[in-house]
């Protein structure tokens, strides 16, 4: 069954912004899960986030001024610190003795690591900050590494179609018809999948030698057929680790819902071999072209989805999409029943032609 309720999961970390887009003493306003969020970086470099609506009369705080310590609303000058505490209401007289904490704005847990700013979107219930910090998606092969490349591509669709489109193994020969990616014919693919934290992992395997152009490219770059491990976890985080020769390149794709009809696909690349970095502008173009093809087909899909058709998913090539929906439903159910999440994925060998 496909989820037709456009369910947006809460109590998870979402990719908010690449670190380099938020400079010290600056703020960036974003909508995440249909909520207006104001991200700020203070003078000391720490990032925080608050609800971007002034509790007085609803003007977005992002329309005001941020001095690196406090944000001041542009309408009546109420001021808030980066934790969302109301610290000043200029129109009050000292003897009016008002408890300013009644006017605090909601703040969001933020975790910045590896050049990524993650935001925790809770369902409003209490959470244990230390516990949830352990759940931030981290690229394990690089502890404090900064990305070599970041792309943010907006998709005009609900998150599910972006996620299932990006993880779909059967669309490549039809959607990604570019010379550097692969040749035309279909080949059988066999991959072992295992359950992993809030999702599943494709066990480490050699890149199919059928992708001739790709293998040639890797030989050229680092001397060896690459080995790949790909993991996926809720809400829409895919980490692909590629090892070839002495190199280890990792890409993180994190999908963030802006609203029910807008989704952001964030693509972050680490570990580019040094001599390749001179081709960075070209790699930017290729990455945008590649993700742009995914976006274009998902946008065509919206034409049909308007009629609310039943989607006929098949085995095995649609198994990952089916797992995604199962994982989502189980996560929502476990949260509402206040119990442990039980991963619905079982270890299995999947076969398809692509
Ligand atoms: S609306 Fe923000 S201070 Fe009045
Ligand atoms: Fe794709």
């Amino acid at each position: 069954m496909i989820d037709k309720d456009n369910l947006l999961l809460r109590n998870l970390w979402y990719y908010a912004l690449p670190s380099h887009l938020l400079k010290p003493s600056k703020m960036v306003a974003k909508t995440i899960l249909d909520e207006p969020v104001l991200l700020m970086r203070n003078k000391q470099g720490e990032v925080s986030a608050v609800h971007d609506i002034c509790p007085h009369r609803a003007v977005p705080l992002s329309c005001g001024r941020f001095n690196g310590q406090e944000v001041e609303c542009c309408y009546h000058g109420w001021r808030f610190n980066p934790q969302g505490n109301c610290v000043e209401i200029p129109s009050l007289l000292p003897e009016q003795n008002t408890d300013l904490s009644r006017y605090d704005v909601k703040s969001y847990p933020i975790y910045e690591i590896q050049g990524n700013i993650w935001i925790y979107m809770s369902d409003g219930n209490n959470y244990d900050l230390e516990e949830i910090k352990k759940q931030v998606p981290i690229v394990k092969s690089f502890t404090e590494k900064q990305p070599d490349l970041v792309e943010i591509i907006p998709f005009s669709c609900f998150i599910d179609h972006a996620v299932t489109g990006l993880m779909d193994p059967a669309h490549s020969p039809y959607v990604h018809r570019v010379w550097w990616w692969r040749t035309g014919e279909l080949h059988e693919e066999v991959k072992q999948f295992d359950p992993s934290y809030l999702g599943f992992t494709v066990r480490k395997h050699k890149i199919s030698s059928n992708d001739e152009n790709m293998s040639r490219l890797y030989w050229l770059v680092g001397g060896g057929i690459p080995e790949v491990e790909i993991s996926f976890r809720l809400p829409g985080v895919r980490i692909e680790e590629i090892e070839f020769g002495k190199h280890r390149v990792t890409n993180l794709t994190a999908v963030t819902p802006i609203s029910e009809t807008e989704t952001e696909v964030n693509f972050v690349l680490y570990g580019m071999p040094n001599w390749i970095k001179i081709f960075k502008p070209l790699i930017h173009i290729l990455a945008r072209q590649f993700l742009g093809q995914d976006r274009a087909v998902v946008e065509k899909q919206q034409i049909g989805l308007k009629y609310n058709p039943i989607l006929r998913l098949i085995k095995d090539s649609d198994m990952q999409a089916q797992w995604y929906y199962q994982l989502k439903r189980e996560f929502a159910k476990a949260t509402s029943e206040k119990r442990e999440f039980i991963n619905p994925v079982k270890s299995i060998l999947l076969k398809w032609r692509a």
Side-chain angles (χ1 to χ4, degrees), residues 85-152:
N85 305 116
C86 181
V87 292
E88 177 81 44
I89 297 182
S91 59
L92 285 175
L93 295 167
E95 63 267 29
Q96 280 170 329
N97 247 338
T98 309
D99 175 12
L100 294 187
S101 71
R102 288 169 53 201
Y103 307 107
D104 289 352
V105 287
K106 172 180 165 185
S107 71
Y108 300 82
I110 288 286
Y111 199 97
E112 184 174 29
I113 188 158
Q114 298 172 324
N116 307 315
I117 299 171
W118 297 92
I119 186 166
Y120 187 77
M121 301 299 287
S122 81
D123 59 4
N125 288 317
N126 287 341
Y127 47 80
D128 177 341
L129 192 57
E130 287 315 305
E131 256 331 287
I132 62 165
K133 276 183 183 170
K134 295 179 196 156
Q135 299 159 9
V136 177
I138 291 177
V139 175
K140 62 178 188 251
S141 34
F142 309 106
T143 31
E144 263 315 314
K145 194 126 182 154
Q146 293 303 301
D148 293 314
L149 188 99
V150 183
E151 294 289 348
I152 305 173

Side-chain angles (χ1 to χ4, degrees), residues 104-278:
D104 289 352
V105 287
K106 172 180 165 185
S107 71
Y108 300 82
I110 288 286
Y111 199 97
E112 184 174 29
I113 188 158
Q114 298 172 324
N116 307 315
I117 299 171
W118 297 92
I119 186 166
Y120 187 77
M121 301 299 287
S122 81
D123 59 4
N125 288 317
N126 287 341
Y127 47 80
D128 177 341
L129 192 57
E130 287 315 305
E131 256 331 287
I132 62 165
K133 276 183 183 170
K134 295 179 196 156
Q135 299 159 9
V136 177
I138 291 177
V139 175
K140 62 178 188 251
S141 34
F142 309 106
T143 31
E144 263 315 314
K145 194 126 182 154
Q146 293 303 301
D148 293 314
L149 188 99
V150 183
E151 294 289 348
I152 305 173
I153 316 263
F155 278 42
S156 296
C157 67
F158 184 60
I159 180 178
D160 292 359
H161 304 297
V163 171
T164 54
L166 291 165
M167 64 170 48
D168 172 22
H171 74 288
S172 271
Y174 303 96
V175 172
H176 302 298
R177 283 178 194 258
V178 280
W179 65 267
W180 51 273
W181 180 241
R182 50 164 297 144
T183 49
E185 318 91 70
L186 299 192
H187 304 276
E188 185 178 314
E189 302 259 358
V190 183
K191 302 222 165 84
Q192 174 68 45
F193 288 76
D194 298 302
S196 50
Y197 181 68
L198 295 183
F200 50 88
T201 297
V202 188
R203 216 178 273 178
K204 205 182 223 185
H205 59 277
K206 283 214 187 310
I207 278 198
S208 152
S209 53
N210 297 325
D211 294 339
E212 284 164 32
N213 289 332
M214 259 340 244
S215 326
R216 249 180 252 146
L217 212 62
Y218 282 116
W219 270 108
L220 206 70
V221 172
I225 296 281
E227 286 204 317
V228 193
E229 188 185 278
I230 304 168
S231 66
F232 172 82
R233 56 178 278 183
L234 291 176
V237 181
R238 178 186 187 273
I239 296 177
E240 178 174 14
E241 305 199 66
I242 309 168
E243 263 183 75
F244 53 104
K246 55 185 191 320
H247 302 290
R248 181 186 280 263
V249 177
T250 301
N251 68 69
L252 165 85
T253 310
V255 178
T256 302
I258 304 304
S259 65
E260 282 205 0
T261 52
E262 291 296 323
T263 299
E264 249 175 30
V265 175
N266 302 281
F267 176 81
V268 189
L269 188 68
Y270 299 88
M272 212 185 261
N274 270 334
W275 70 268
I276 291 201
K277 288 184 186 160
I278 49 167

